[in-house]
Amino acid sequence: AGGGGGGGCLASMVLLAQAVVLARLDVLRDRLRHDPEARARAACPSPDGLAAATLFLRASTDVMLLNSGCGEPLAVAGAWQFYDGPTFHAMLHAARRGAARLRLLRGDALLAGLLAALGPLASGSDDAARLGETCAEAARLWAEAGATLG
C-alpha cells in the first residue's frame, strides 16, 4: 500500500527508502540512470521534504565527524552514499500519490523487508527496548541481501 500518515512521517519513511535503494545500488555497483530532463519535470520540493533532507544532511555531518573521531569504524565515504536529492523528492512525490512501497523500492522484496524492519525507527515509534531487536533484524536482512550477490 502507499505511504499514509503525516507529512513528516511520510518524508522520514521515503528518506529511509531512498537510502536503502542507494545503498543496495552501491553494493550492486549499479548507478541511478541519469535523466537530464528529470529536474525540468520535477515538482518543486515540498517544505516537509526540504526539512527532512536538511535534517538528514545535518545529522549525517555529525555522524561523519564522530566516525572520523573514532577511527572510522564505519566504511562510509559520505552522506552522498545514502542521499540523492532528485531521487528523494521524486520518491516522496510518488508516495504522496499513493505509490506502493515495493514500487518505491524498485520491486526489491529484500529492501521491502529491510524498510519494514527499520520503519519504526523512521517514524519515531520504536522504544529503546526494541531498538536492539530492530537493528538486529535490519542487519540480518542486509546480510541476506549481500549474500544474494555472490
Side-chain angles (χ1 to χ4, degrees):
C9 186
L10 181 63
S12 297
M13 184 281 297
V14 173
L15 187 61
L16 183 59
Q18 69 89 43
V20 297
V21 166
L22 291 176
R24 178 75 161 155
L25 290 174
D26 187 54
V27 168
L28 295 172
R29 301 282 186 238
D30 198 357
R31 296 290 172 247
L32 290 172
R33 288 175 188 76
H34 178 65
D35 181 0
E37 305 296 321
R39 288 185 192 261
R41 290 190 311 267
C44 189
S46 63
D48 65 318
L50 290 173
T54 300
L55 179 60
F56 172 79
L57 292 173
R58 285 182 180 174
S60 65
T61 299
D62 292 343
V63 168
M64 295 305 295
L65 231 127
L66 287 170
N67 190 45
S68 179
C70 293
E72 299 189 357
L74 304 174
V76 179
W80 58 88
Q81 286 184 274
F82 307 104
Y83 180 77
D84 177 75
T87 301
F88 168 66
H89 292 291
M91 288 175 73
L92 182 58
H93 187 66
R96 284 206 175 99
R97 289 189 322 256
R101 288 186 181 184
L102 191 58
R103 180 171 166 256
L104 294 177
L105 298 169
R106 299 170 177 228
D108 191 321
L110 283 170
L111 292 185
L114 184 62
L115 184 62
L118 291 173
L121 295 176
S123 69
S125 66
D126 215 12
D127 62 4
R130 295 234 18 217
L131 180 61
E133 290 174 36
T134 298
C135 291
E137 175 65 7
R140 184 191 67 74
L141 288 166
W142 188 250
E144 184 180 324
T148 64
L149 298 175

